[in-house]
Amino acid sequence: ALAAMQQALPDIVPAASAGTMSNLTFGGQLPSGAQFSSYETLPGGAGASPQVSGWSAIQTHMTNTRNTPIEVLESQLPVRIHSNTVRRGSGGAGEHRGGDGITRSLEFLVPVELGWIASRQRRGPWGLRGGKRGAPGRLRVRVSAGAKAKIVGSQASLSLGSGAVIEVETPGGGGFGGRRMREPDSGARG
């Protein structure tokens, strides 16, 4: 819908953003027998506009959500966060660059059931007026310390054992403009 609106409102509509959201859920049972669960919507990159570059590591289509602080995750759930950072360079190139997504890596300390639903995993968010696509998102899963990481599709339901590590990369936003955009001709001649 935004791509169609861009034709009518070329000076207002931004390039595509990271998509609806990257949904990560996991749950299981603690050694005490108590059950736990976690559901987060992970942010990505916003698309650039004719005026400014896109914002990085932000919720673009799902609002009123915030990330859970690492200290809370690690103190209340059997999980270890290996990294949580901006995914530098994932925003699409252009006169105004798309915002960057995030990279989050975590290790499960007990067996878990994991759910994953995300957009823009095959093709990154489109750019406009010569701007390039943002990088697509992906989820990598390594089931044990010596195992090779496997890339999972945009929807998955997995049973993972203790020691499994996942790495989420959320999409960057699309870029806007491929070269310096000309100012409108004022009609004045010098």
Side-chain angles (χ1 to χ4, degrees):
L2 284 178
M5 286 179 51
Q6 200 281 330
Q7 294 175 10
L9 303 167
D11 295 328
I12 297 173
V13 176
S17 294
T20 304
M21 64 194 132
S22 298
N23 296 271
L24 178 66
T25 64
F26 60 88
Q29 190 169 9
L30 296 170
S32 67
Q35 294 188 350
F36 69 92
S37 64
S38 173
Y39 185 142
E40 277 196 282
T41 59
L42 302 174
S49 76
Q51 295 82 22
V52 296
S53 294
W55 290 2
S56 296
I58 188 171
Q59 296 289 7
T60 56
H61 297 293
M62 175 78 165
T63 59
N64 199 29
T65 61
R66 294 189 178 193
N67 70 327
T68 305
I70 291 170
E71 297 81 6
V72 172
L73 284 171
E74 290 187 338
S75 68
Q76 296 186 12
L77 299 172
V79 64
R80 180 176 298 124
I81 307 300
H82 288 247
S83 69
N84 187 42
T85 186
V86 174
R87 186 182 174 199
R88 301 285 179 210
S90 60
E95 180 182 350
H96 298 290
R97 188 167 188 82
D100 292 327
I102 69 162
T103 299
R104 179 181 282 182
S105 176
L106 50 100
E107 176 183 358
F108 299 109
L109 306 178
V110 299
V112 297
E113 295 297 318
L114 180 134
W116 171 249
I117 300 174
S119 352
R120 309 211 195 276
Q121 301 293 290
R122 288 190 185 145
R123 292 175 44 178
W126 40 263
L128 283 177
R129 295 179 62 187
K132 302 298 181 193
R133 286 185 177 275
R138 72 185 79 155
L139 172 64
R140 287 188 188 95
V141 178
R142 192 176 70 224
V143 296
S144 64
K148 184 178 177 182
K150 175 184 171 187
I151 295 177
V152 176
S154 62
Q155 297 181 17
S157 178
L158 304 169
S159 295
L160 300 174
S162 178
V165 174
I166 65 167
E167 181 182 64
V168 175
E169 293 180 330
T170 63
F176 194 98
R179 58 186 173 282
R180 193 89 180 128
M181 297 168 63
R182 292 179 42 202
E183 294 296 322
D185 187 0
S186 65
R189 302 277 182 225

Short mmCIF file of all heavy atoms in Angstrom, two decimals, residues 35-106:
data_model
loop_
_atom_site.label_atom_id
_atom_site.label_comp_id
_atom_site.label_asym_id
_atom_site.label_seq_id
_atom_site.Cartn_x
_atom_site.Cartn_y
_atom_site.Cartn_z
N GLN A 35 7.03 -23.55 35.29
CA GLN A 35 7.10 -23.26 33.86
C GLN A 35 7.39 -21.79 33.62
O GLN A 35 7.09 -20.94 34.47
CB GLN A 35 5.80 -23.68 33.18
CG GLN A 35 5.61 -25.19 33.24
CD GLN A 35 4.43 -25.64 32.40
OE1 GLN A 35 3.65 -24.85 31.91
NE2 GLN A 35 4.33 -26.95 32.22
N PHE A 36 7.97 -21.47 32.47
CA PHE A 36 8.27 -20.09 32.11
C PHE A 36 7.99 -19.88 30.63
O PHE A 36 7.94 -20.84 29.86
CB PHE A 36 9.74 -19.76 32.41
CG PHE A 36 10.71 -20.47 31.50
CD1 PHE A 36 11.14 -19.88 30.32
CD2 PHE A 36 11.16 -21.75 31.81
CE1 PHE A 36 12.00 -20.54 29.47
CE2 PHE A 36 12.04 -22.41 30.97
CZ PHE A 36 12.46 -21.81 29.79
N SER A 37 7.82 -18.62 30.27
CA SER A 37 7.67 -18.28 28.85
C SER A 37 8.11 -16.84 28.63
O SER A 37 8.13 -16.03 29.55
CB SER A 37 6.22 -18.46 28.38
OG SER A 37 5.37 -17.56 29.06
N SER A 38 8.49 -16.56 27.39
CA SER A 38 8.92 -15.22 27.00
C SER A 38 8.38 -14.94 25.60
O SER A 38 8.41 -15.83 24.74
CB SER A 38 10.44 -15.13 26.99
OG SER A 38 10.87 -13.88 26.45
N TYR A 39 7.91 -13.72 25.39
CA TYR A 39 7.44 -13.30 24.06
C TYR A 39 7.95 -11.89 23.84
O TYR A 39 7.65 -10.99 24.61
CB TYR A 39 5.92 -13.32 24.01
CG TYR A 39 5.31 -13.02 22.65
CD1 TYR A 39 4.19 -13.70 22.22
CD2 TYR A 39 5.84 -12.05 21.79
CE1 TYR A 39 3.61 -13.45 20.99
CE2 TYR A 39 5.28 -11.79 20.56
CZ TYR A 39 4.17 -12.50 20.16
OH TYR A 39 3.61 -12.23 18.94
N GLU A 40 8.75 -11.71 22.80
CA GLU A 40 9.25 -10.37 22.47
C GLU A 40 9.03 -10.08 21.00
O GLU A 40 9.13 -10.97 20.15
CB GLU A 40 10.75 -10.25 22.75
CG GLU A 40 11.06 -9.93 24.19
CD GLU A 40 12.48 -9.44 24.33
OE1 GLU A 40 13.39 -10.28 24.30
OE2 GLU A 40 12.67 -8.22 24.47
N THR A 41 8.74 -8.83 20.70
CA THR A 41 8.74 -8.34 19.33
C THR A 41 10.02 -7.54 19.17
O THR A 41 10.22 -6.54 19.85
CB THR A 41 7.50 -7.47 19.05
OG1 THR A 41 7.48 -6.37 19.93
CG2 THR A 41 6.23 -8.28 19.22
N LEU A 42 10.90 -8.01 18.31
CA LEU A 42 12.22 -7.41 18.18
C LEU A 42 12.22 -6.30 17.13
O LEU A 42 11.64 -6.47 16.05
CB LEU A 42 13.25 -8.48 17.83
CG LEU A 42 13.33 -9.62 18.86
CD1 LEU A 42 14.27 -10.71 18.37
CD2 LEU A 42 13.78 -9.10 20.21
N PRO A 43 12.86 -5.19 17.40
CA PRO A 43 12.85 -4.05 16.47
C PRO A 43 13.77 -4.26 15.28
O PRO A 43 14.63 -5.15 15.27
CB PRO A 43 13.36 -2.91 17.35
CG PRO A 43 14.24 -3.57 18.35
CD PRO A 43 13.61 -4.91 18.62
N GLY A 44 13.59 -3.41 14.28
CA GLY A 44 14.43 -3.44 13.08
C GLY A 44 14.72 -2.03 12.63
O GLY A 44 14.63 -1.08 13.40
N GLY A 45 15.04 -1.88 11.35
CA GLY A 45 15.35 -0.57 10.79
C GLY A 45 14.15 0.07 10.11
O GLY A 45 13.37 -0.60 9.45
N ALA A 46 14.03 1.39 10.28
CA ALA A 46 12.97 2.15 9.60
C ALA A 46 13.46 2.58 8.22
O ALA A 46 14.65 2.82 8.02
CB ALA A 46 12.60 3.38 10.43
N GLY A 47 12.54 2.67 7.28
CA GLY A 47 12.89 3.12 5.94
C GLY A 47 13.22 4.61 5.93
O GLY A 47 12.65 5.40 6.70
N ALA A 48 14.15 4.98 5.06
CA ALA A 48 14.52 6.39 4.91
C ALA A 48 13.41 7.14 4.18
O ALA A 48 12.62 6.55 3.45
CB ALA A 48 15.83 6.50 4.13
N SER A 49 13.37 8.44 4.36
CA SER A 49 12.37 9.27 3.70
C SER A 49 13.07 10.27 2.79
O SER A 49 14.30 10.35 2.78
CB SER A 49 11.53 10.02 4.75
OG SER A 49 12.27 11.10 5.28
N PRO A 50 12.32 11.06 2.05
CA PRO A 50 12.95 12.08 1.21
C PRO A 50 13.76 13.10 2.02
O PRO A 50 14.65 13.74 1.49
CB PRO A 50 11.78 12.76 0.51
CG PRO A 50 10.67 11.79 0.56
CD PRO A 50 10.87 11.00 1.83
N GLN A 51 13.46 13.23 3.32
CA GLN A 51 14.12 14.25 4.14
C GLN A 51 15.22 13.72 5.04
O GLN A 51 16.19 14.42 5.31
CB GLN A 51 13.09 14.98 5.03
CG GLN A 51 12.06 15.79 4.27
CD GLN A 51 10.91 14.95 3.75
OE1 GLN A 51 10.62 13.86 4.24
NE2 GLN A 51 10.24 15.44 2.72
N VAL A 52 15.08 12.50 5.56
CA VAL A 52 16.02 12.00 6.57
C VAL A 52 16.28 10.50 6.42
O VAL A 52 15.49 9.78 5.82
CB VAL A 52 15.51 12.25 8.02
CG1 VAL A 52 15.39 13.72 8.32
CG2 VAL A 52 14.19 11.54 8.26
N SER A 53 17.39 10.08 7.00
CA SER A 53 17.71 8.65 7.07
C SER A 53 16.75 7.97 8.05
O SER A 53 16.17 8.61 8.93
CB SER A 53 19.16 8.46 7.54
OG SER A 53 20.06 8.96 6.57
N GLY A 54 16.60 6.65 7.89
CA GLY A 54 15.72 5.89 8.78
C GLY A 54 16.35 5.69 10.15
O GLY A 54 17.57 5.68 10.30
N TRP A 55 15.51 5.50 11.15
CA TRP A 55 15.99 5.25 12.51
C TRP A 55 16.39 3.79 12.63
O TRP A 55 15.83 2.92 11.99
CB TRP A 55 14.92 5.57 13.52
CG TRP A 55 14.63 7.03 13.67
CD1 TRP A 55 15.20 8.07 12.98
CD2 TRP A 55 13.69 7.62 14.54
NE1 TRP A 55 14.67 9.25 13.39
CE2 TRP A 55 13.73 9.02 14.35
CE3 TRP A 55 12.80 7.11 15.47
CZ2 TRP A 55 12.94 9.90 15.06
CZ3 TRP A 55 12.00 7.99 16.18
CH2 TRP A 55 12.09 9.37 15.98
N SER A 56 17.33 3.52 13.52
CA SER A 56 17.83 2.16 13.74
C SER A 56 17.22 1.56 15.00
O SER A 56 16.89 2.28 15.95
CB SER A 56 19.36 2.18 13.88
OG SER A 56 19.97 2.61 12.69
N ALA A 57 17.09 0.23 14.99
CA ALA A 57 16.66 -0.54 16.16
C ALA A 57 15.39 0.01 16.79
O ALA A 57 15.35 0.35 17.97
CB ALA A 57 17.80 -0.59 17.19
N ILE A 58 14.33 0.09 15.98
CA ILE A 58 13.07 0.69 16.42
C ILE A 58 11.89 -0.15 15.95
O ILE A 58 11.95 -0.80 14.91
CB ILE A 58 12.97 2.15 15.90
CG1 ILE A 58 11.77 2.86 16.49
CG2 ILE A 58 12.93 2.18 14.38
CD1 ILE A 58 11.74 4.34 16.20
N GLN A 59 10.82 -0.15 16.73
CA GLN A 59 9.58 -0.78 16.28
C GLN A 59 8.94 0.15 15.25
O GLN A 59 8.71 1.32 15.53
CB GLN A 59 8.62 -1.00 17.46
CG GLN A 59 9.12 -1.95 18.50
CD GLN A 59 9.14 -3.39 18.03
OE1 GLN A 59 8.90 -3.72 16.88
NE2 GLN A 59 9.45 -4.29 18.95
N THR A 60 8.67 -0.37 14.06
CA THR A 60 8.13 0.49 13.00
C THR A 60 6.66 0.27 12.71
O THR A 60 5.98 1.20 12.32
CB THR A 60 8.93 0.28 11.70
OG1 THR A 60 8.91 -1.10 11.35
CG2 THR A 60 10.36 0.76 11.86
N HIS A 61 6.17 -0.94 12.86
CA HIS A 61 4.76 -1.19 12.55
C HIS A 61 3.99 -1.70 13.76
O HIS A 61 2.78 -1.70 13.76
CB HIS A 61 4.64 -2.19 11.40
CG HIS A 61 5.22 -1.66 10.13
ND1 HIS A 61 4.68 -0.60 9.46
CD2 HIS A 61 6.31 -2.02 9.43
CE1 HIS A 61 5.40 -0.33 8.39
NE2 HIS A 61 6.40 -1.18 8.35
N MET A 62 4.68 -2.15 14.75
CA MET A 62 4.06 -2.59 16.00
C MET A 62 4.56 -1.63 17.06
O MET A 62 5.75 -1.59 17.34
CB MET A 62 4.51 -4.01 16.33
CG MET A 62 4.03 -4.51 17.64
SD MET A 62 2.32 -5.00 17.51
CE MET A 62 2.14 -5.92 19.00
N THR A 63 3.70 -0.84 17.59
CA THR A 63 4.15 0.15 18.56
C THR A 63 3.68 -0.21 19.96
O THR A 63 2.96 -1.19 20.14
CB THR A 63 3.64 1.56 18.18
OG1 THR A 63 2.21 1.52 18.13
CG2 THR A 63 4.18 1.98 16.83
N ASN A 64 4.09 0.59 20.92
CA ASN A 64 3.74 0.39 22.32
C ASN A 64 4.33 -0.90 22.87
O ASN A 64 3.75 -1.54 23.73
CB ASN A 64 2.21 0.43 22.53
CG ASN A 64 1.86 0.70 23.97
OD1 ASN A 64 2.62 1.34 24.68
ND2 ASN A 64 0.73 0.19 24.41
N THR A 65 5.49 -1.29 22.33
CA THR A 65 6.22 -2.43 22.90
C THR A 65 7.65 -1.98 23.14
O THR A 65 8.16 -1.11 22.46
CB THR A 65 6.22 -3.64 21.94
OG1 THR A 65 6.87 -3.28 20.72
CG2 THR A 65 4.83 -4.14 21.65
N ARG A 66 8.27 -2.60 24.10
CA ARG A 66 9.67 -2.29 24.41
C ARG A 66 10.43 -3.59 24.59
O ARG A 66 9.85 -4.62 24.91
CB ARG A 66 9.77 -1.47 25.69
CG ARG A 66 9.16 -0.11 25.53
CD ARG A 66 9.46 0.72 26.72
NE ARG A 66 8.89 2.05 26.48
CZ ARG A 66 9.17 3.09 27.19
NH1 ARG A 66 9.98 3.00 28.20
NH2 ARG A 66 8.63 4.25 26.90
N ASN A 67 11.74 -3.49 24.42
CA ASN A 67 12.54 -4.70 24.64
C ASN A 67 12.66 -4.98 26.13
O ASN A 67 12.58 -4.09 26.96
CB ASN A 67 13.91 -4.57 23.98
CG ASN A 67 14.81 -3.58 24.69
OD1 ASN A 67 14.36 -2.59 25.22
ND2 ASN A 67 16.09 -3.87 24.70
N THR A 68 12.84 -6.24 26.44
CA THR A 68 13.07 -6.63 27.83
C THR A 68 14.55 -6.44 28.12
O THR A 68 15.40 -6.94 27.38
CB THR A 68 12.68 -8.10 28.03
OG1 THR A 68 11.33 -8.28 27.60
CG2 THR A 68 12.83 -8.50 29.49
N PRO A 69 14.90 -5.72 29.18
CA PRO A 69 16.32 -5.53 29.51
C PRO A 69 17.03 -6.87 29.72
O PRO A 69 16.46 -7.82 30.25
CB PRO A 69 16.27 -4.72 30.81
CG PRO A 69 14.95 -4.02 30.77
CD PRO A 69 14.01 -4.98 30.09
N ILE A 70 18.27 -6.92 29.30
CA ILE A 70 19.07 -8.14 29.41
C ILE A 70 19.12 -8.62 30.85
O ILE A 70 19.01 -9.82 31.12
CB ILE A 70 20.49 -7.90 28.86
CG1 ILE A 70 20.43 -7.70 27.35
CG2 ILE A 70 21.43 -9.04 29.21
CD1 ILE A 70 21.71 -7.23 26.72
N GLU A 71 19.27 -7.69 31.79
CA GLU A 71 19.36 -8.07 33.21
C GLU A 71 18.09 -8.78 33.66
O GLU A 71 18.15 -9.72 34.47
CB GLU A 71 19.60 -6.84 34.07
CG GLU A 71 20.91 -6.12 33.81
CD GLU A 71 20.87 -5.18 32.59
OE1 GLU A 71 19.80 -4.99 31.98
OE2 GLU A 71 21.94 -4.66 32.24
N VAL A 72 16.94 -8.37 33.15
CA VAL A 72 15.68 -9.02 33.51
C VAL A 72 15.61 -10.41 32.88
O VAL A 72 15.26 -11.39 33.55
CB VAL A 72 14.48 -8.15 33.09
CG1 VAL A 72 13.16 -8.89 33.27
CG2 VAL A 72 14.47 -6.84 33.87
N LEU A 73 15.94 -10.49 31.60
CA LEU A 73 15.91 -11.80 30.93
C LEU A 73 16.79 -12.81 31.67
O LEU A 73 16.36 -13.92 31.97
CB LEU A 73 16.39 -11.68 29.48
CG LEU A 73 15.41 -11.08 28.49
CD1 LEU A 73 16.10 -10.81 27.15
CD2 LEU A 73 14.21 -11.99 28.29
N GLU A 74 18.03 -12.41 31.95
CA GLU A 74 18.97 -13.36 32.55
C GLU A 74 18.66 -13.67 34.01
O GLU A 74 18.98 -14.76 34.48
CB GLU A 74 20.40 -12.83 32.43
CG GLU A 74 20.91 -12.86 31.01
CD GLU A 74 22.38 -12.49 30.89
OE1 GLU A 74 22.92 -11.82 31.79
OE2 GLU A 74 22.98 -12.88 29.88
N SER A 75 18.05 -12.74 34.73
CA SER A 75 17.75 -13.01 36.15
C SER A 75 16.45 -13.78 36.34
O SER A 75 16.28 -14.46 37.34
CB SER A 75 17.71 -11.71 36.96
OG SER A 75 16.59 -10.93 36.58
N GLN A 76 15.53 -13.70 35.37
CA GLN A 76 14.23 -14.34 35.55
C GLN A 76 14.00 -15.56 34.66
O GLN A 76 13.05 -16.30 34.87
CB GLN A 76 13.12 -13.32 35.33
CG GLN A 76 13.16 -12.22 36.38
CD GLN A 76 11.98 -11.28 36.27
OE1 GLN A 76 11.01 -11.52 35.59
NE2 GLN A 76 12.07 -10.18 37.01
N LEU A 77 14.85 -15.73 33.64
CA LEU A 77 14.68 -16.85 32.72
C LEU A 77 16.00 -17.61 32.58
O LEU A 77 17.07 -17.03 32.72
CB LEU A 77 14.24 -16.33 31.33
CG LEU A 77 12.92 -15.57 31.28
CD1 LEU A 77 12.74 -14.95 29.90
CD2 LEU A 77 11.76 -16.49 31.62
N PRO A 78 15.94 -18.89 32.24
CA PRO A 78 17.17 -19.68 32.07
C PRO A 78 17.78 -19.43 30.68
O PRO A 78 17.77 -20.30 29.80
CB PRO A 78 16.68 -21.12 32.25
CG PRO A 78 15.27 -21.08 31.77
CD PRO A 78 14.75 -19.73 32.15
N VAL A 79 18.30 -18.22 30.50
CA VAL A 79 18.86 -17.83 29.22
C VAL A 79 20.08 -16.94 29.48
O VAL A 79 20.13 -16.22 30.48
CB VAL A 79 17.80 -17.09 28.36
CG1 VAL A 79 17.36 -15.81 29.00
CG2 VAL A 79 18.28 -16.85 26.96
N ARG A 80 21.05 -17.02 28.60
CA ARG A 80 22.24 -16.15 28.68
C ARG A 80 22.31 -15.36 27.38
O ARG A 80 22.30 -15.95 26.30
CB ARG A 80 23.51 -16.99 28.85
CG ARG A 80 24.77 -16.15 28.92
CD ARG A 80 26.02 -16.99 29.20
NE ARG A 80 25.88 -17.65 30.49
CZ ARG A 80 25.98 -18.97 30.69
NH1 ARG A 80 26.22 -19.77 29.67
NH2 ARG A 80 25.84 -19.48 31.89
N ILE A 81 22.38 -14.05 27.48
CA ILE A 81 22.47 -13.19 26.30
C ILE A 81 23.95 -13.04 25.94
O ILE A 81 24.73 -12.54 26.73
CB ILE A 81 21.84 -11.80 26.56
CG1 ILE A 81 20.41 -11.93 27.10
CG2 ILE A 81 21.88 -10.96 25.29
CD1 ILE A 81 19.45 -12.65 26.21
N HIS A 82 24.30 -13.47 24.75
CA HIS A 82 25.69 -13.35 24.29
C HIS A 82 25.95 -11.99 23.67
O HIS A 82 27.04 -11.44 23.82
CB HIS A 82 26.02 -14.45 23.27
CG HIS A 82 26.14 -15.80 23.87
ND1 HIS A 82 27.32 -16.49 23.92
CD2 HIS A 82 25.22 -16.60 24.47
CE1 HIS A 82 27.13 -17.66 24.50
NE2 HIS A 82 25.86 -17.75 24.85
N SER A 83 24.95 -11.45 22.95
CA SER A 83 25.09 -10.11 22.38
C SER A 83 23.72 -9.53 22.09
O SER A 83 22.76 -10.26 21.88
CB SER A 83 25.94 -10.14 21.09
OG SER A 83 25.24 -10.81 20.07
N ASN A 84 23.66 -8.22 22.11
CA ASN A 84 22.45 -7.48 21.76
C ASN A 84 22.93 -6.12 21.24
O ASN A 84 23.30 -5.26 22.04
CB ASN A 84 21.54 -7.31 22.98
CG ASN A 84 20.21 -6.71 22.61
OD1 ASN A 84 19.62 -7.08 21.60
ND2 ASN A 84 19.73 -5.78 23.41
N THR A 85 22.96 -5.96 19.93
CA THR A 85 23.59 -4.79 19.35
C THR A 85 22.89 -4.34 18.07
O THR A 85 22.11 -5.10 17.50
CB THR A 85 25.08 -5.09 19.07
OG1 THR A 85 25.73 -3.91 18.64
CG2 THR A 85 25.25 -6.17 18.03
N VAL A 86 23.19 -3.13 17.65
CA VAL A 86 22.69 -2.65 16.37
C VAL A 86 23.42 -3.41 15.27
O VAL A 86 24.64 -3.62 15.35
CB VAL A 86 22.91 -1.12 16.24
CG1 VAL A 86 22.53 -0.63 14.85
CG2 VAL A 86 22.09 -0.39 17.30
N ARG A 87 22.72 -3.82 14.25
CA ARG A 87 23.26 -4.57 13.12
C ARG A 87 23.79 -3.57 12.08
O ARG A 87 23.14 -3.25 11.10
CB ARG A 87 22.17 -5.45 12.53
CG ARG A 87 22.63 -6.38 11.45
CD ARG A 87 21.45 -7.17 10.90
NE ARG A 87 21.85 -7.96 9.77
CZ ARG A 87 21.00 -8.45 8.88
NH1 ARG A 87 19.69 -8.23 9.01
NH2 ARG A 87 21.44 -9.15 7.86
N ARG A 88 24.98 -3.05 12.34
CA ARG A 88 25.57 -1.99 11.52
C ARG A 88 25.64 -2.38 10.05
O ARG A 88 26.04 -3.49 9.72
CB ARG A 88 26.97 -1.62 12.01
CG ARG A 88 27.00 -1.15 13.45
CD ARG A 88 26.48 0.26 13.59
NE ARG A 88 26.51 0.66 14.99
CZ ARG A 88 25.67 1.51 15.51
NH1 ARG A 88 24.75 2.08 14.77
NH2 ARG A 88 25.75 1.83 16.78
N GLY A 89 25.23 -1.45 9.18
CA GLY A 89 25.29 -1.66 7.74
C GLY A 89 24.12 -2.41 7.15
O GLY A 89 24.11 -2.69 5.96
N SER A 90 23.11 -2.74 7.94
CA SER A 90 21.97 -3.49 7.42
C SER A 90 20.93 -2.60 6.75
O SER A 90 20.08 -3.08 6.01
CB SER A 90 21.32 -4.33 8.53
OG SER A 90 20.86 -3.51 9.59
N GLY A 91 20.99 -1.29 6.98
CA GLY A 91 20.09 -0.36 6.30
C GLY A 91 20.50 -0.17 4.85
O GLY A 91 21.69 -0.21 4.52
N GLY A 92 19.52 0.02 3.96
CA GLY A 92 19.81 0.19 2.55
C GLY A 92 20.52 1.50 2.25
O GLY A 92 20.24 2.52 2.87
N ALA A 93 21.43 1.45 1.28
CA ALA A 93 22.17 2.64 0.88
C ALA A 93 21.26 3.60 0.12
O ALA A 93 20.25 3.20 -0.45
CB ALA A 93 23.36 2.24 0.00
N GLY A 94 21.63 4.85 0.11
CA GLY A 94 20.91 5.87 -0.63
C GLY A 94 21.36 7.24 -0.16
O GLY A 94 22.22 7.36 0.73
N GLU A 95 20.80 8.26 -0.78
CA GLU A 95 21.11 9.61 -0.30
C GLU A 95 20.76 9.71 1.18
O GLU A 95 21.47 10.31 1.97
CB GLU A 95 20.33 10.66 -1.09
CG GLU A 95 20.62 12.06 -0.62
CD GLU A 95 19.82 13.11 -1.36
OE1 GLU A 95 19.17 12.80 -2.36
OE2 GLU A 95 19.85 14.26 -0.89
N HIS A 96 19.64 9.09 1.55
CA HIS A 96 19.26 8.92 2.95
C HIS A 96 19.24 7.41 3.21
O HIS A 96 18.49 6.67 2.58
CB HIS A 96 17.90 9.55 3.24
CG HIS A 96 17.87 11.02 3.00
ND1 HIS A 96 18.53 11.92 3.80
CD2 HIS A 96 17.28 11.74 2.03
CE1 HIS A 96 18.35 13.14 3.34
NE2 HIS A 96 17.59 13.06 2.26
N ARG A 97 20.08 6.97 4.11
CA ARG A 97 20.26 5.55 4.39
C ARG A 97 19.11 5.01 5.25
O ARG A 97 18.62 5.70 6.14
CB ARG A 97 21.59 5.36 5.11
CG ARG A 97 21.97 3.92 5.29
CD ARG A 97 23.43 3.79 5.71
NE ARG A 97 23.79 2.41 5.69
CZ ARG A 97 24.15 1.74 4.59
NH1 ARG A 97 24.24 2.36 3.45
NH2 ARG A 97 24.42 0.46 4.65
N GLY A 98 18.74 3.76 4.98
CA GLY A 98 17.76 3.09 5.83
C GLY A 98 18.33 2.81 7.20
O GLY A 98 19.55 2.64 7.35
N GLY A 99 17.47 2.76 8.21
CA GLY A 99 17.93 2.45 9.57
C GLY A 99 18.40 1.01 9.68
O GLY A 99 17.98 0.13 8.92
N ASP A 100 19.27 0.74 10.63
CA ASP A 100 19.81 -0.60 10.85
C ASP A 100 18.91 -1.41 11.78
O ASP A 100 18.26 -0.86 12.68
CB ASP A 100 21.21 -0.52 11.47
CG ASP A 100 22.24 0.04 10.51
OD1 ASP A 100 22.12 -0.19 9.29
OD2 ASP A 100 23.17 0.72 10.99
N GLY A 101 18.90 -2.72 11.57
CA GLY A 101 18.20 -3.64 12.45
C GLY A 101 19.06 -3.94 13.68
O GLY A 101 19.99 -3.20 14.00
N ILE A 102 18.74 -5.04 14.35
CA ILE A 102 19.53 -5.46 15.51
C ILE A 102 20.04 -6.88 15.30
O ILE A 102 19.54 -7.62 14.46
CB ILE A 102 18.75 -5.40 16.83
CG1 ILE A 102 17.64 -6.47 16.89
CG2 ILE A 102 18.19 -4.01 17.09
CD1 ILE A 102 17.12 -6.75 18.28
N THR A 103 21.03 -7.25 16.09
CA THR A 103 21.51 -8.63 16.20
C THR A 103 21.42 -9.00 17.67
O THR A 103 21.90 -8.26 18.53
CB THR A 103 22.97 -8.77 15.72
OG1 THR A 103 23.05 -8.38 14.35
CG2 THR A 103 23.45 -10.20 15.88
N ARG A 104 20.78 -10.11 17.94
CA ARG A 104 20.70 -10.61 19.31
C ARG A 104 21.03 -12.10 19.30
O ARG A 104 20.46 -12.86 18.54
CB ARG A 104 19.31 -10.41 19.92
CG ARG A 104 19.26 -10.96 21.36
CD ARG A 104 17.92 -10.81 21.98
NE ARG A 104 17.74 -9.43 22.42
CZ ARG A 104 16.67 -9.00 23.06
NH1 ARG A 104 15.66 -9.81 23.30
NH2 ARG A 104 16.58 -7.75 23.44
N SER A 105 21.97 -12.48 20.17
CA SER A 105 22.36 -13.88 20.28
C SER A 105 22.10 -14.32 21.71
O SER A 105 22.47 -13.63 22.66
CB SER A 105 23.85 -14.04 19.94
OG SER A 105 24.25 -15.37 20.14
N LEU A 106 21.45 -15.48 21.86
CA LEU A 106 21.18 -15.98 23.20
C LEU A 106 21.31 -17.49 23.27
O LEU A 106 21.13 -18.19 22.29
CB LEU A 106 19.84 -15.50 23.72
CG LEU A 106 18.60 -15.69 22.85
CD1 LEU A 106 17.83 -16.89 23.31
CD2 LEU A 106 17.76 -14.45 22.97
#
